[in-house]
């Protein structure tokens, strides 16, 4: 009778992933519909409800979705770091799927931020990109999480991949802290600081009207829902992918 | 700079705004589509695997 119980040689997937359903659950379908309505409402707030900014004109309206997507991206990476910590404690592979899904959604959201920012900057600053500390730090953050996905591609063994990804996801969160909090206190930046103080040269008083603040806060809320919805869909895909891979492995050994 | 995106007479500020939002919505739609296509691909694989299991 075998007495070997070491965690390191136990199969990683102790419980097979639940049989996936082809259709999304009703809650997810309702959430998806509600999120789409929120996006439409946020677009109305950004394009119609908020007044046109005096100096920059219409291009300033990029601001609302630019900061909303940046916030939701940071939230996604926070979920990854949290899932990484929980995985390392519990060794439950489901938390690896949570971390992986959050990174992918976070990267999509951060891509929105990094694409819309330079278009706005081209008009406001006269050039799309400067090697400003805030912008550079945001680019490093994007690259750090793109590297997370590449790292996973290079690791075959699921438990090794989960362990490495968890540790990497926790370490990579330093780039989020640096971008959103660190830069404003240690370096001079021309990028405005929307929330909180700045010890550098960043513009902190953006002179927003009440309607602008409403549109910004609504955008934050909307992108929180966008993240939650996309994350749930991505997590279902991760569960399905693992289930199919398990079945493929079983079919190979039958 | 992006005035070629919009009809003549539309301010440069507006064409920049439209391009910015095109990137935002474009990224969102592309990502949502990728989720749909990848899920369909996995479900197709699952159907094939079940057929193989039946044959065995």
């Amino acid at each position: 009778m075998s007495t070997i119980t070491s965690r390191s040689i136990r199969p990683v997937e102790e419980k097979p992933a639940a049989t996936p359903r082809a259709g999304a659950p009703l809650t997810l379908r309702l959430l998806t519909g509600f999120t789409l309505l929120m996006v439409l409402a946020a677009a109305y707030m950004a394009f119609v409800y908020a007044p046109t900014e005096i100096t920059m004109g219409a291009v300033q309206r990029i601001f609302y979705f630019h900061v909303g997507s940046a916030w939701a991206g940071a939230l996604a990476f926070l979920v990854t770091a949290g899932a990484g910590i929980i995985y390392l404690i519990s060794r439950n592979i489901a938390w690896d799927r949570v971390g992986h899904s959050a990174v992918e959604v976070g990267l999509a959201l951060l891509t929105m931020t990094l694409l819309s920012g330079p278009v706005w900057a081209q008009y406001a600053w006269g050039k799309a990109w400067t090697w400003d500390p805030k912008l550079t730090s945001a680019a490093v953050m994007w690259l750090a999480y793109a590297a997370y996905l590449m790292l996973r591609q290079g690791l075959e063994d699921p438990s090794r991949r989960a362990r490495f990804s968890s540790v990497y996801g926790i370490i990579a969160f330093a780039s989020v802290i640096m971008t959103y909090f660190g830069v404003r206190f240690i370096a001079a930046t021309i990028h405005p600081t929307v929330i909180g103080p700045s010890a550098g040269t960043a513009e902190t008083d953006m002179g927003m009207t009440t309607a602008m603040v409403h549109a910004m806060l609504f955008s934050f809320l909307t992108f929180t829902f966008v993240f939650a919805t996309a994350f749930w869909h991505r997590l279902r895909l991760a569960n399905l992918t693992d289930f199919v891979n398990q079945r493929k492995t079983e079919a190979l050994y039958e | 700079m992006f005035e070629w995106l919009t009809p003549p007479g539309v301010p440069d500020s507006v064409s920049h705004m439209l391009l910015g939002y095109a990137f935002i919505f474009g990224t969102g739609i592309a990502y949502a589509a990728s989720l749909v296509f990848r899920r369909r691909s996995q479900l197709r694989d699952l159907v094939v695997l079940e057929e193989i299991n039946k044959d065995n």
Side-chain angles (χ1 to χ4, degrees):
Chain A
M1 191 174 93
S2 171
T3 55
I4 299 169
T5 55
S6 165
R7 175 171 281 172
S8 62
I9 59 168
R10 267 197 318 218
V12 175
E13 195 71 58
E14 291 171 22
K15 287 183 217 163
T19 308
R21 283 185 287 179
L26 179 65
T27 319
L28 179 55
R29 275 185 276 169
L30 288 174
L31 179 66
T32 307
F34 181 71
T35 301
L36 287 172
L37 288 176
M38 289 279 285
V39 170
L40 289 176
Y44 173 81
M45 298 279 278
F47 290 114
V48 182
Y49 178 78
T52 306
E53 205 265 348
I54 297 167
T55 317
M56 286 182 279
V59 72
Q60 184 272 340
R61 294 183 195 278
I62 287 178
F63 165 79
Y64 304 107
F65 278 42
H66 176 74
V67 293
S69 56
W71 144 251
L75 179 64
F77 299 141
L78 178 66
V79 169
T80 300
I85 292 168
I86 298 173
Y87 173 78
L88 291 175
I89 295 167
S90 69
R91 300 290 165 149
N92 182 345
I93 200 79
W95 288 104
D96 179 52
R97 290 196 283 263
V98 168
H100 180 202
S101 302
V103 164
E104 206 186 91
V105 175
L107 261 180
L109 290 162
L110 192 59
T111 302
M112 293 178 190
T113 311
L114 289 183
L115 288 176
S116 58
V119 177
W120 182 11
Q122 178 65 42
Y123 187 86
W125 300 338
K127 53 178 157 180
W129 187 265
T130 68
W131 292 105
D132 174 85
K134 180 95 171 180
L135 274 64
T136 307
S137 181
V140 168
M141 178 169 62
W142 191 93
L143 290 169
Y145 284 99
Y148 173 100
L149 297 180
M150 291 176 197
L151 174 74
R152 292 184 67 88
Q153 290 291 321
L155 296 166
E156 280 287 322
D157 175 38
S159 69
R160 190 175 156 88
R161 184 171 58 219
R163 205 168 60 247
F164 276 52
S165 300
S166 298
V167 172
Y168 187 95
I170 295 164
I171 294 170
F173 193 68
S175 68
V176 180
I177 295 169
M178 188 65 191
T179 305
Y180 291 86
F181 303 105
V183 164
R184 66 173 71 181
F185 294 112
I186 62 164
T189 173
I190 57 168
H191 190 285
T193 299
V194 180
I195 295 170
S198 173
T201 55
E203 182 190 350
T204 50
D205 177 17
M206 296 182 72
M208 287 196 287
T209 65
T210 309
M212 286 173 165
V213 173
H214 288 164
M216 181 189 78
L217 294 176
F218 193 78
S219 174
F220 278 126
L221 184 64
T222 300
F223 271 93
T224 305
F225 274 95
V226 168
F227 164 67
T229 308
F231 172 68
W232 191 344
H233 281 288
R234 181 61 185 86
L235 192 56
R236 288 184 77 237
L237 175 64
N239 288 335
L240 175 63
T241 305
D242 276 12
F243 181 80
V244 170
N245 285 340
Q246 254 180 286
R247 297 293 293 268
K248 281 178 182 169
T249 309
E250 285 164 13
L252 274 173
Y253 287 99
E254 269 172 13
Chain B
M1 187 183 180
F2 302 116
E3 61 280 357
W4 48 270
L5 276 169
T6 46
V10 173
D12 208 17
S13 176
V14 173
S15 59
H16 278 75
M17 178 193 75
L18 292 176
L19 184 64
Y21 273 99
F23 280 143
I24 289 168
F25 283 107
T27 305
I29 291 166
Y31 184 66
S34 91
L35 287 178
V36 171
F37 291 135
R38 282 186 287 170
R39 185 165 181 87
R40 280 184 188 172
S41 165
Q42 292 296 331
L43 287 171
R44 273 197 301 270
D45 280 5
L46 195 57
V47 170
V48 173
L49 282 164
E50 276 166 6
E51 288 297 319
I52 292 170
N53 279 348
K54 265 185 212 164
D55 293 344
N56 287 342

